[in-house]
């Protein structure tokens, strides 16, 4: 199995996320990837996928992933049935951190219990 085939899941995820300025080369059994993620959350997703496929400290891949907007962790588009606590659980692993999301979005939210589908919420850096 080639290194590129081993990490195809990372490359597919990069395409799904719309990673910009992507470049992939293989040199001496090491896959070298670079690109620019939109947010730190997307960069974290890529690193999680790399670790899932290659282990905690893979030696057969080198990744240089920059971030175009580090002022926020992510921008989340609300889907039907979501709540701030559910969104907080997804991004932070802790539903009680919904207050951080609410505080970062008081320009569009007046009540943490009332969010609407298609609203774009700022997810602040943890």
């Amino acid at each position: 199995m080639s290194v590129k085939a081993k990490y195809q899941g990372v490359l597919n995820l990069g395409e799904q996320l719309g990673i910009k300025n992507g470049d992939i080369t293989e040199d001496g059994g090491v896959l070298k990837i670079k690109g620019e993620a939109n947010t730190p959350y997307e960069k974290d997703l890529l690193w999680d996928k790399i670790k899932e496929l290659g282990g905690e400290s893979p030696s057969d891949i080198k990744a240089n992933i920059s971030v175009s907007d580090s002022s926020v962790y992510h921008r989340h588009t609300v889907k039907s049935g979501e709540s701030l606590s559910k969104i907080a659980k997804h991004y932070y692993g802790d539903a009680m951190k919904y207050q951080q999301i609410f505080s970062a979005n008081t320009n569009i939210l007046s009540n943490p219990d009332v969010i609407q589908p298609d609203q774009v919420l700022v997810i602040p850096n943890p």
Side-chain angles (χ1 to χ4, degrees):
M1 171 191 285
S2 75
V3 180
K4 188 173 180 183
K6 176 181 176 180
Y7 289 104
Q8 189 60 48
V10 175
L11 305 178
N12 294 345
L13 179 58
E15 280 185 30
Q16 287 174 352
L17 296 173
I19 299 301
K20 297 180 278 258
N21 304 318
D23 186 44
I24 303 160
T25 57
E26 197 171 338
D27 183 25
V30 176
L31 187 66
K32 297 177 180 179
I33 61 173
K34 78 174 232 189
E36 184 178 37
N38 291 312
T39 63
Y41 172 72
E42 290 180 356
K43 179 179 178 176
D44 288 349
L45 287 177
L46 286 168
W47 278 108
D48 290 347
K49 192 67 168 177
I50 289 169
K51 290 176 189 173
E52 175 189 323
L53 298 173
E56 233 4 84
S57 299
S59 58
D60 56 354
I61 187 169
K62 292 189 183 205
N64 180 3
I65 304 163
S66 59
V67 174
S68 60
D69 182 4
S70 59
S71 68
V72 300
Y73 188 56
H74 197 58
R75 295 184 194 285
H76 177 84
T77 302
V78 176
K79 295 171 203 66
S80 181
E82 286 186 320
S83 64
L84 286 185
S85 58
K86 183 177 179 180
I87 295 167
K89 176 84 171 154
H90 174 78
Y91 289 103
Y92 302 133
D94 182 354
M96 295 309 294
K97 292 191 175 182
Y98 75 91
Q99 197 67 340
Q100 286 178 248
I101 298 171
F102 175 69
S103 295
N105 291 281
T106 54
N107 59 323
I108 59 170
L109 301 176
S110 58
N111 182 334
D113 297 324
V114 181
I115 61 174
Q116 304 297 323
D118 298 323
Q119 282 179 315
V120 178
L121 302 178
V122 167
I123 308 300
N125 285 305

